[in-house]
Amino acid sequence: MTADPTVPTAGGPPEEGVSLHLLGGFRLLRDSAPIVVPRGLQRVIALIGLRPGATRSQLAGLLWPDASEERALSSLRTALWRLRQDPCCPMTVAGDTVRLDPAVRLDVDDLVGTAARVRDGDDPSTAAGALAAGRHDLLPGWYDDWVLLDRERLRQLRLHMLEQLAGQHLTAGRHGEALEAALEAMAAEPLRETPHRLVVRIHLAEGNAFEAVHAFYVYRDLLRRELRLEPSPAMSALLDDTLAPIRQASREAVVGRPSPAGRRT
């Protein structure tokens, strides 16, 4: 596990310390230079980052679920020994627990921290990085059970963060920022109703009835085509006042139209 001297660092002063990136793929960096890590050790480092303070038994059971406990613990001891021989080792061992070194920056922690600030109602302008935070999936191409669980957990965390951010911007009258956050959530999960509902509310708040109606029917058609479902009553109710005159005119047109039996031949 060594720094790769063939990869140039980005322009400007290098970032000090070690950073671990798990969103969008595994990357371990030291002063912005990639550290080459064998795939087997990548799994160990990634799990330690996602399970801070986990015991050796817990780590071994997750990493080698099909092996006996004794064999799994032996494999973990070997992996930890290999990691600790390297000066770039990003972890610390204290008794029976293993965790990342406190100096290591983890991108997953950045996402969780941003979501917490949005959830706690901080000024949305301080969460400018929320749109980009977590835009990439956790460790794409990895299919360990523990990866799949955390990938879905972080995906849901990001969706709720974006929706909360959009709602906060809407309440504050920042319609452009609200729409941007809602569309970001929509792009992450096109069939999820909440961001579509937010888009309709934002357009109505701006007085753009056409845009609101258009957004509603785009989602309705998507839902019918993909899942053969209808939007929820809560979403349909958003447009009751806007569509009431159109529906009334349609009903009056039907009532005033002569029936086929009453027509002269």
Side-chain angles (χ1 to χ4, degrees):
M1 195 175 75
T2 56
D4 186 350
T6 65
V7 180
T9 59
E15 297 180 2
E16 295 297 330
V18 178
S19 59
L20 176 60
H21 302 261
L22 304 179
L23 300 173
F26 183 97
R27 288 182 302 142
L28 185 63
L29 306 179
R30 183 177 186 181
D31 296 342
S32 301
I35 299 172
V36 179
V37 183
R39 179 60 183 264
L41 295 183
Q42 288 181 18
R43 294 176 67 248
V44 178
I45 295 172
L47 181 58
I48 292 172
L50 293 169
R51 297 288 191 279
T55 65
R56 292 172 181 257
S57 294
Q58 292 168 337
L59 294 173
L62 290 169
L63 289 166
W64 294 278
D66 298 326
S68 67
E69 182 178 6
E70 182 179 354
R71 186 175 182 83
L73 284 170
S74 176
S75 297
L76 179 63
R77 282 194 296 271
T78 301
L80 294 178
W81 179 85
R82 292 175 61 192
L83 285 169
R84 295 173 73 181
Q85 302 312 301
D86 195 284
C88 297
C89 177
M91 63 173 201
T92 61
V93 179
D96 193 42
T97 61
V98 187
R99 65 176 67 246
L100 287 182
D101 189 285
V104 177
R105 180 174 177 177
L106 179 64
D107 61 350
V108 171
D109 289 344
D110 293 340
L111 169 59
V112 173
T114 300
R117 289 192 296 274
V118 171
R119 183 183 63 246
D120 293 342
D122 287 359
D123 184 348
S125 63
T126 66
L131 297 183
R135 185 171 284 165
H136 302 291
D137 283 340
L138 175 74
L139 297 169
W142 292 32
Y143 299 103
D144 304 77
D145 288 343
W146 52 272
V147 174
L148 298 177
L149 288 172
D150 272 18
R151 184 181 297 157
E152 180 60 18
R153 174 179 67 85
L154 294 173
R155 190 182 76 88
Q156 290 293 333
L157 178 71
R158 180 171 187 261
L159 285 169
H160 284 88
M161 173 187 69
L162 291 170
E163 291 164 358
Q164 290 167 347
L165 185 61
Q168 291 172 4
H169 281 309
L170 176 58
T171 300
R174 294 185 288 265
H175 299 134
E177 292 90 337
L179 188 60
E180 187 176 10
L183 291 175
E184 185 74 28
M186 189 187 301
E189 182 47 78
L191 292 173
R192 184 179 173 93
E193 181 175 301
T194 311
H196 290 270
R197 196 186 306 168
L198 279 163
V199 169
V200 171
R201 289 176 55 201
I202 294 164
H203 288 314
L204 289 174
E206 291 184 297
N208 294 323
F210 168 77
E211 294 282 5
V213 173
H214 176 72
F216 172 83
Y217 282 111
V218 166
Y219 177 62
R220 188 201 65 174
D221 293 344
L222 174 66
L223 207 57
R224 284 179 173 178
R225 183 172 63 253
E226 298 295 331
L227 299 177
R228 297 184 179 180
L229 295 175
E230 293 288 333
S232 71
M235 184 166 185
S236 299
L238 292 174
L239 292 173
D240 280 349
D241 292 341
T242 302
L243 294 177
I246 300 174
R247 291 168 178 161
Q248 181 63 30
S250 299
R251 285 194 293 268
E252 291 174 353
V254 171
V255 171
R257 186 183 306 155
S259 63
R263 293 177 182 170
R264 295 183 179 180
T265 57

